[in-house]
Amino acid sequence: MNTSFRFLILTIFIALGFITSCNDDPSFTEEKKPIVDNTDIASTDTSSTEPPPYDADEIDKINPEELSREIKEIGEKIETLEKESEKNFNEYSQMAESQKRILENIKTKKMIMRSKAVGSEEQKRAQIDFEDEKKFGKEQLKGLKEKNIILNKIIKKITEAKKEKEKLEKKQEYLLKRQKEKKKLN
């Protein structure tokens, strides 16, 4: 499964769980609907069956060594971005696990609060504990959403770099083919 969709699905489930566990406060549920920005979700379909048309004069002006250097640089950029993506995804996974524990604590504190006699001192303390945990959960959810946005942007950059590399490789392939054809003619 695509990494971006894996953490997107995880974020949605955590956010929905958080919303449902805190449903005592109507303003909270309206405020914490999961935001999914489909423009940041990177598509990994880079397949292309048809080689792009090139202007022969333009291709003849290309320096093959320069083209090879550009392809190598983009490859290194992709590798760096993938390492950064992996690091951020690991952090994201840890944050998601933490958020799951917070949700369980909220559920537990909510049950404790509801089990106490209404208006009693124990119920008031349990209410305060519940509200504190809910506030902490809101803060942690913001961090989780920010990490999700960062990951989406990194994956989008990786996809764009892979497409650019593929484009340059096709250009290089065409250039080499053209050079071979010229040698055959001479």
Side-chain angles (χ1 to χ4, degrees):
M1 182 184 273
N2 187 334
T3 304
S4 64
F5 290 116
R6 217 172 40 203
F7 65 78
L8 177 63
I9 291 169
L10 185 59
T11 300
I12 291 170
F13 281 123
I14 290 174
L16 289 174
F18 192 73
I19 290 168
T20 57
S21 69
C22 300
N23 65 0
D24 284 349
D25 183 1
S27 65
F28 178 76
T29 57
E30 291 172 8
E31 170 182 319
K32 286 299 171 192
K33 289 181 182 171
I35 299 170
V36 179
D37 183 3
N38 290 330
T39 60
D40 277 340
I41 297 175
S43 170
T44 57
D45 183 23
T46 59
S47 61
S48 176
T49 56
E50 194 176 304
Y54 295 107
D55 180 16
D57 293 332
E58 178 187 323
I59 288 293
D60 290 338
K61 294 176 185 176
I62 293 175
N63 180 345
E65 291 83 23
E66 181 69 23
L67 188 58
S68 293
R69 186 189 57 75
E70 285 182 46
I71 292 170
K72 182 181 176 189
E73 286 175 358
I74 289 178
E76 290 169 353
K77 177 182 177 183
I78 291 169
E79 190 176 311
T80 301
L81 286 169
E82 286 176 339
K83 287 178 183 176
E84 184 179 347
S85 174
E86 184 177 336
K87 176 184 160 265
N88 278 282
F89 184 75
N90 289 338
E91 291 171 3
Y92 177 86
S93 296
Q94 291 172 353
M95 292 170 73
E97 288 301 316
S98 173
Q99 190 68 19
K100 287 179 187 177
R101 287 190 297 275
I102 292 169
L103 288 173
E104 288 302 315
N105 288 342
I106 288 172
K107 289 177 185 177
T108 302
K109 291 180 187 280
K110 187 177 183 180
M111 287 189 323
I112 292 170
M113 177 184 71
R114 289 185 173 173
S115 70
K116 304 296 179 185
V118 177
S120 69
E121 194 61 37
E122 293 88 13
Q123 193 266 338
K124 289 177 184 175
R125 275 195 302 262
Q127 174 77 30
I128 291 170
D129 287 346
F130 172 72
E131 294 297 327
D132 288 346
E133 193 70 25
K134 193 165 74 169
K135 183 179 177 183
F136 179 66
K138 283 182 182 181
E139 293 169 4
Q140 295 300 310
L141 188 58
K142 285 179 188 176
L144 193 63
K145 286 179 180 180
E146 289 170 5
K147 186 60 78 172
N148 187 3
I149 290 168
I150 290 169
L151 281 166
N152 279 324
K153 288 179 180 179
I154 292 171
I155 289 171
K156 187 175 182 178
K157 287 179 183 179
I158 291 170
T159 302
E160 290 170 357
K162 284 181 177 180
K163 285 179 181 179
E164 180 65 22
K165 183 179 180 191
E166 181 180 356
K167 186 175 112 180
L168 291 174
E169 286 172 339
K170 285 182 180 183
K171 190 179 274 190
Q172 183 181 44
E173 183 181 315
Y174 184 80
L175 175 65
L176 293 174
K177 181 180 173 183
R178 182 146 169 84
Q179 287 175 343
K180 284 181 183 180
E181 289 173 0
K182 280 185 174 183
K183 283 183 182 180
K184 284 182 182 179
L185 292 175
N186 291 337

